[in-house]
Amino acid sequence: MNDQRRTEASKVKLSVGGQSQELADDDIFSFIYLEWYTLSSSCPLMAAALGPVSNLFSITALAEPWVIELSHGQYDRFYPDGAKTIALNAVSLAFGILANMALLANFTGRVKYSLSQAISITSFYIASVLLLALIGNEYRVYSSLVRDGLNLQFSQGYWSAVITAVLYFLCGLVLTWNLVGHLRGHYPASFILTSSQRSLMLQILFITIWLAGGGGLFAGIQDYSYGDAVYFCDVTILTVGFGDLQPTNDLSRALVLPYALIGIFIFGFVVVNVHSLVLVSSREQQSLHHVERLRVRNLRRVQTERTDENSFNLMRKIHKSAKKRDVLATLILSTILFVIFWLFSAFVFSKIEGWSYFIGFYFCATTLLTIGYGQFVPSLPGSKAFFVLWSLIAVPLMTMLIISMGDTVIAAIVNFVQKLGDVMLKNISSNLTTEPSQQMTTDLESQKPDEPLSDARNNEMQNFRAYINYGNDQDNEQIAKEVHLVDAIQIIVRDLHVNPRKKYSYKEWNMLAKTVDRQFNWLGTDSPIRVPVDEPALFLRLYWNSLKDHLTNKYMQMEKSQQPDVDMFKSSAETSKINKTG
C-alpha cells in the first residue's frame, strides 16, 4: 500500500548542486527525507573541512620526533624515532593524502561516487588504525624509558599524531554515513552540493598548504622545530601576537610580512565562506519541510474556498514564519556550538597547562578577540598542537555566530536605533524643504520594488477587461489581449532588473491566472507559491508562453479563414484552363 501511495504521488523537480532530481512529493517533504538530505550535504562538507587539516597534523607527526629529552626541566634534544615508526608514519600520511585526493576527485566529479567513496573511506580508516597502533606502541616505549630514569616528554609530533588519528577516523565515519544513505536509496550516487560548496575543500586545502609550507620555511630560518614553526605561522595568521615566538633575524622579518598578509587574506576568505557554505547547506530543504508542515496544519483549518485572497495571504504568512524560524534556528545552533566548544576548549587548556578553569576561559576569550596580552600562552607541546586545531575551528565558529547575530540581534538593534533617530530628529526634518528639482525622478527610480502594478499597467488591465466584457469586435479583443500581454512582459522585465526577488500581490497573481486560464489552489500541492520561487522569472515565462500561444492560434485561424479563398482561386484557374483547351 505504501509503495502504491508513493507511485501515485505527484512528482516535483528539485534542483540541487546543478543536478535535477525527480522525487515523490511526499518524499521531498517528509521528515525522514529531511534527515537524510541533511546528512547527504553535511557529511561531505565535514569531511572536506577535516580532511586537509588532518594532513597538516600528519605532516607534523612525521616531520618531528615524538619524544623530547629534558635537562633540568628544559628542552634538551629530541629522542629519535625508530625506523619502523617513521616508515609506518609515512605510510599513514600516504593513505591520508590518497583519501583526500579521492574525496577531492569526488567533489569535482572526476571519479565515480562509488569508487571514490570506497577509496576515501578505506584509506581514512587505514591511516587512523596505523597511527593508533603507533601511538600505543610509542606510549609503551615511553613508559619503559621513564621507568628507567630518563626525563622525557611527548613532543608536538606525538600530540599531532593523536589529533590526526581522531580526525582521520571522523572523516571515515561521516563518509560512511553518507554512503549508507545512498545504499538505502535516500539520495543518488553523488554529493548533493552546490558548486560553491564543492569549492570548500579547495579553500581549506589552500590554508593548510600555506601553514604547512610556512612551517617548513620558518623551521629552517628560525631554527624552530617543525611543530613550533606551524604554531608560529598559525598565531601570525590569526593576528594574535602572543610574543612567545617571534622573528629574530632580518630574513625572517622580511618574509613574515608577505606571508602574514597573504595568509590573513586566505584564512579570512575561508572563514567567511564557511558560514554560507556549511550552515546553509541544508537550510533550503529544512525551510521547505517547515513550510509544508504549516501548510498541512492550516489546510485542515481552512474550510472556505482555497483559491481566495485569504488563502493566498495565509500561504505568504507561512513562508514568512518559516524564514523567521530558520534564521532563529541558525542563531541558536551557532550559539550552542560556539559556547560548547569554548567551554570544552577552556577545560582542555586548563588541564594541559595546569591553569585554573577561569584562566583557560580567559585565554580563549582574549585569543578570539585577538587582544594578545601574552600573559597566558600555550607553553607545552600538547597545548600548542591543540591550539592550532582549536584556532582553525574556533575562529570560523565565532564568525558564524557574528553573522547569524547580524541577521537577528544586530538587525533588531539597528532598526531600533533608526526608529529612535527618526523620533528624535522628527521636528528638525519636518522643517527642512526639498527643492523641486530634487523631487523629480524617473518612473523606474520612483517605483518601489515591492509596490503593486503601476497605474499605466492597471489602466491597460482595465481596458483589457472592458474589451472582454463589453467588446463585440473579435479583432479588438485580440488586440486588447496582445497589448495587455506585451505591457505585462515589459513591466516584468523591469521587475527582473529592479528587484528579481519581488513578491507579487494577490491581484497580480489573479490577473495572471485569468490570462493563462488557470485557477490556483493557494494551499494545495499544486500551489505556485508552495515552494520559494523567483516570481518575476515565473511571471515572465507564463506571460511569454501565453503571448506565444495567442499569436500561434491567431495565425492558425488566419490560415483557416484564407483557405476557402485559395480553394476558390484554384477552382477558377482550373475552369479557365479547361475553357482554353476546349
Side-chain angles (χ1 to χ4, degrees):
M1 183 66 181
N2 187 44
D3 294 340
Q4 182 180 1
R5 181 179 61 86
R6 291 182 182 274
T7 302
E8 294 176 352
S10 60
K11 301 287 184 179
V12 297
K13 284 282 186 180
L14 176 66
S15 179
V16 183
Q19 300 177 354
S20 184
Q21 300 170 276
E22 191 176 80
L23 299 170
D25 213 17
D26 54 349
D27 284 342
I28 258 191
F29 297 102
S30 67
F31 184 74
I32 295 178
Y33 175 79
L34 177 63
E35 285 183 328
W36 284 106
Y37 181 91
T38 303
L39 285 177
S40 69
S41 58
S42 300
C43 288
L45 290 175
M46 289 180 62
L50 297 178
V53 174
S54 62
N55 283 158
L56 171 65
F57 285 96
S58 184
I59 293 173
T60 306
L62 179 62
E64 183 171 305
W66 287 12
V67 177
I68 301 173
E69 189 172 345
L70 303 177
S71 177
H72 304 290
Q74 299 296 323
Y75 164 78
D76 184 27
R77 68 184 181 89
F78 283 109
Y79 195 86
D81 293 332
K84 291 183 178 179
T85 300
I86 296 175
L88 290 177
N89 203 347
V91 172
S92 175
L93 174 60
F95 273 107
I97 294 176
L98 176 62
N100 279 301
M101 290 178 62
L103 182 62
L104 182 60
N106 197 346
F107 266 67
T108 56
R110 298 182 180 275
V111 179
K112 290 184 177 180
Y113 173 86
S114 56
L115 177 61
S116 62
Q117 281 288 74
I119 295 175
S120 295
I121 293 173
T122 304
S123 299
F124 274 131
Y125 282 140
I126 292 176
S128 179
V129 170
L130 287 175
L131 279 180
L132 289 174
L134 285 176
I135 291 169
N137 181 70
E138 191 69 21
Y139 185 81
R140 181 182 59 81
V141 174
Y142 171 84
S143 301
S144 176
L145 293 173
V146 170
R147 284 195 300 268
D148 291 341
L150 293 178
N151 191 8
L152 304 176
Q153 185 182 62
F154 284 124
S155 70
Q156 290 188 56
Y158 174 84
W159 293 112
S160 296
V162 174
I163 294 173
T164 305
V166 175
L167 294 180
Y168 279 158
F169 181 78
L170 288 177
C171 289
L173 185 62
V174 296
L175 290 178
T176 301
W177 286 345
N178 180 268
L179 182 61
V180 169
H182 162 61
L183 294 177
R184 295 183 62 179
H186 293 288
Y187 39 81
S190 64
F191 291 146
I192 304 181
L193 301 171
T194 64
S195 58
S196 299
Q197 290 169 345
R198 293 177 185 274
S199 68
L200 176 64
M201 188 173 183
L202 286 175
Q203 298 173 20
I204 297 177
L205 186 61
F206 287 151
I207 192 65
T208 54
I209 291 175
W210 195 250
L211 286 173
L217 176 65
F218 289 102
I221 298 175
Q222 288 289 126
D223 196 25
Y224 292 150
S225 68
Y226 186 80
D228 277 344
V230 171
Y231 165 78
F232 165 77
C233 294
D234 183 61
V235 171
T236 301
I237 290 176
L238 291 176
T239 68
V240 178
F242 286 138
D244 52 341
L245 297 178
Q246 51 188 291
T248 57
N249 55 64
D250 290 341
L251 178 59
S252 60
R253 293 188 185 104
L255 291 176
V256 78
L257 295 178
Y259 178 83
L261 183 63
I262 299 175
I264 291 170
F265 173 78
I266 297 175
F267 190 61
F269 181 76
V270 172
V271 167
V272 170
N273 281 313
V274 162
H275 171 267
S276 59
L277 299 182
V278 176
L279 277 186
V280 302
S281 60
S282 58
R283 178 186 291 180
E284 180 180 355
Q285 194 61 31
Q286 291 173 353
S287 178
L288 289 176
H289 175 72
H290 185 60
V291 167
E292 182 64 9
R293 288 179 58 192
L294 293 176
R295 185 190 70 84
V296 173
R297 186 185 305 169
N298 285 276
L299 195 61
R300 298 166 184 165
R301 300 175 183 175
V302 177
Q303 303 295 333
T304 59
E305 183 68 28
R306 294 163 188 168
T307 60
D308 61 354
E309 187 172 0
N310 291 332
S311 298
F312 176 88
N313 294 332
L314 179 58
M315 197 65 200
R316 289 291 199 205
K317 186 177 180 181
I318 288 174
H319 277 285
K320 290 181 180 180
S321 175
K323 184 177 180 180
K324 290 180 180 179
R325 176 188 177 276
D326 293 337
V327 172
L328 183 60
T330 301
L331 175 61
I332 293 174
L333 177 61
S334 301
T335 304
I336 292 176
L337 289 177
F338 178 74
V339 171
I340 291 176
F341 189 74
W342 191 352
L343 297 177
F344 172 75
S345 303
F347 172 78
V348 173
F349 281 119
S350 62
K351 288 299 181 182
I352 297 177
E353 289 287 339
W355 298 333
S356 66
Y357 184 80
F358 174 75
I359 295 301
F361 185 87
Y362 171 81
F363 166 77
C364 292
T366 55
T367 302
L368 286 175
L369 295 174
T370 67
I371 295 176
Y373 288 132
Q375 296 172 292
F376 304 97
V377 298
S379 59
L380 298 176
S383 59
K384 288 181 178 179
F386 180 74
F387 177 84
V388 175
L389 176 64
W390 172 81
S391 62
L392 293 176
I393 299 176
V395 174
L397 281 179
M398 187 178 70
T399 305
M400 284 164 29
L401 176 61
I402 293 174
I403 294 177
S404 299
M405 292 178 64
D407 296 334
T408 53
V409 179
I410 298 177
I413 295 175
V414 171
N415 188 37
F416 172 76
V417 172
Q418 289 178 345
K419 290 183 177 179
L420 182 62
D422 292 340
V423 172
M424 296 179 64
L425 299 176
K426 183 177 181 180
N427 295 331
I428 299 177
S429 61
S430 61
N431 296 327
L432 297 177
T433 57
T434 305
E435 295 294 331
S437 60
Q438 296 177 345
Q439 298 177 354
M440 298 175 62
T441 57
T442 63
D443 180 65
L444 180 61
E445 295 172 339
S446 62
Q447 180 174 354
K448 298 179 181 179
D450 296 326
E451 72 179 3
L453 299 173
S454 63
D455 293 338
R457 185 172 174 185
N458 284 327
N459 291 334
E460 295 291 348
M461 292 182 177
Q462 291 176 2
N463 294 335
F464 170 65
R465 287 193 295 269
Y467 278 118
I468 294 296
N469 295 330
Y470 304 107
N472 295 320
D473 190 345
Q474 185 177 1
D475 292 337
N476 287 341
E477 290 184 4
Q478 291 184 349
I479 293 174
K481 186 170 184 178
E482 292 168 7
V483 169
H484 162 67
L485 291 172
V486 171
D487 182 68
I489 292 173
Q490 179 184 4
I491 298 297
I492 295 169
V493 169
R494 183 179 66 181
D495 291 339
L496 280 170
H497 287 282
V498 176
N499 184 12
R501 298 187 179 278
K502 177 179 178 179
K503 301 298 182 184
Y504 290 104
S505 66
Y506 171 77
K507 292 182 179 180
E508 292 166 315
W509 273 100
N510 194 37
M511 180 56 64
L512 172 65
K514 292 180 179 180
T515 302
V516 300
D517 193 21
R518 291 181 58 186
Q519 192 173 29
F520 297 128
N521 183 356
W522 303 114
L523 292 175
T525 55
D526 59 344
S527 171
I529 58 174
R530 182 188 180 190
V531 298
V533 63
D534 294 333
E535 294 186 12
L538 176 62
F539 267 55
L540 180 62
R541 184 172 72 251
L542 293 177
Y543 271 114
W544 177 260
N545 290 337
S546 179
L547 177 61
K548 184 174 65 174
D549 293 341
H550 171 75
L551 294 178
T552 301
N553 293 333
K554 183 178 179 180
Y555 176 76
M556 294 177 64
Q557 291 177 1
M558 290 177 60
E559 282 191 331
K560 289 182 180 179
S561 63
Q562 294 175 0
Q563 188 66 33
D565 297 337
V566 173
D567 294 339
M568 184 179 299
F569 175 78
K570 290 182 179 180
S571 177
S572 300
E574 291 175 355
T575 304
S576 176
K577 185 177 180 180
I578 293 173
N579 293 334
K580 289 181 179 180
T581 303

